Amino acid sequence: MTQDHPLAVLDWRDNGTPVSKQFEDPYFSLEDGLAETRHVFLAGNDLPGRFGGFFHIGELGFGTGLNFLATWAAWVKDGSRGTLKFSSFEAYPMALEDMERALGFFPAVAEYAEKLLAQWAGPGIMRFGEAVTLEVIGGDVRDTLGPWDGRVDAWYLDGFSPAKNPEMWGADVMAKVGKHTFQQGTVATYTAAGFVRRALEDAGFDMARAEGFGRKRHMSVGRML
Ligand SMILES: C[S@@+](CC[C@H](N)C(=O)[O-])C[C@H]1O[C@@H](n2cnc3c(N)ncnc32)[C@H](O)[C@@H]1O
């Protein structure tokens, strides 16, 4: 495991959901984490329809890796078109055994989880065959996103809730998200918080509210002008 980054410290709810002790917030929806990922991050970025060529996704908050696995599975189901790169920023990487336990809830992506767990040793670059690359950038995104040299087609903004994790949603971070997005690139997040939407607008995105998942009425989506 990585020496440089503090590990995630978890609590497990009775229903098995992992909750961050650092942020007192669950990693995924108590209702159906996988369905939420598909609704918010995949559909919110018009995926899998946009796959093909070299497609690069950026994520704030790698957590359990569920979003990556759901994306990889959707890319395969859609015909494995082009190549997929997934770059995710994470300050508190999970210990292997915690990740394994959390991902055990999602048999639908078990074959992909097994491959991730076989390589997981914290932040770094992991390759899955010729066409799928995962890059996990360790450290606080406020420090790591600026100097990062990537540019993406779609962003998944998946920090803990803005109320509990305001550092991850600040205007400075959102401005950097904008700078690392191709023209016509997109962004999606489960939050409809006005300050996040405004910060993304200031970062250059044309933002809109969309129907949220489950009990959440709204979420936010945007396109870089
Ligand atoms: C809701 S969880 C992400 C869930 C994840 N996408 C998944 O598929 O399981 C939020 C993540 O953001 C990380 N995080 C919180 N603040 C951060 C920061 N300032 N920089 C980088 N990562 C941060 C947390 O450690 C946590 O893993």
Side-chain angles (χ1 to χ4, degrees):
M1 179 47 76
T2 164
Q3 297 85 28
D4 304 323
H5 309 289
L7 290 180
V9 184
L10 305 188
D11 243 351
W12 298 85
R13 293 221 171 127
D14 289 345
N15 68 0
T17 309
V19 178
S20 160
K21 277 202 182 180
Q22 279 112 336
F23 296 93
E24 296 181 337
D25 214 23
Y27 276 81
F28 40 69
S29 157
L30 309 180
E31 290 170 30
D32 185 347
L34 199 49
E36 178 163 30
T37 292
R38 289 179 181 139
H39 177 88
V40 175
F41 298 112
L42 283 157
N45 279 300
D46 299 325
L47 296 172
R50 292 166 65 206
F51 285 141
F54 172 72
F55 199 86
H56 194 175
I57 293 173
E59 176 183 59
L60 301 192
F62 187 67
T64 66
L66 180 65
N67 288 346
F68 165 64
L69 298 178
T71 302
W72 181 9
W75 176 82
V76 170
K77 196 168 170 212
D78 193 55
S80 305
R81 291 182 290 120
T83 55
L84 176 64
K85 182 163 183 190
F86 193 101
S87 299
S88 187
F89 293 80
E90 177 55 62
Y92 302 97
M94 275 200 183
L96 180 64
E97 54 276 20
D98 286 334
M99 193 180 267
E100 187 168 13
R101 182 169 168 186
L103 292 176
F105 280 101
F106 303 103
V109 292
E111 62 175 296
Y112 301 95
E114 202 178 303
K115 292 177 186 156
L116 170 62
L117 292 164
Q119 287 200 44
W120 180 250
I125 295 196
M126 288 146 267
R127 294 185 208 283
F128 304 95
E130 297 280 296
V132 177
T133 304
L134 168 66
E135 171 187 36
V136 177
I137 300 109
D140 190 316
V141 68
R142 288 172 294 179
D143 305 323
T144 54
L145 180 52
W148 184 61
D149 62 2
R151 230 173 210 220
V152 308
D153 300 287
W155 277 104
Y156 298 1
L157 305 187
D158 197 17
F160 289 119
S161 76
K164 294 188 171 161
N165 188 196
E167 312 75 43
M168 201 137 175
W169 301 96
D172 50 339
V173 174
M174 296 302 122
K176 288 173 190 158
V177 165
K179 286 203 177 99
H180 289 88
T181 309
F182 287 118
Q183 223 179 353
Q184 296 301 315
T186 56
V187 62
T189 174
Y190 61 84
T191 184
F195 81 90
V196 173
R197 227 174 38 243
R198 284 189 292 278
L200 286 165
E201 275 165 1
D202 290 346
F205 290 96
D206 182 24
M207 296 300 298
R209 274 204 310 204
E211 194 186 326
F213 177 79
R215 281 170 293 173
K216 293 192 191 105
R217 280 182 62 203
H218 294 119
M219 55 177 263
S220 305
V221 295
R223 184 173 293 276
M224 180 55 75
L225 297 175

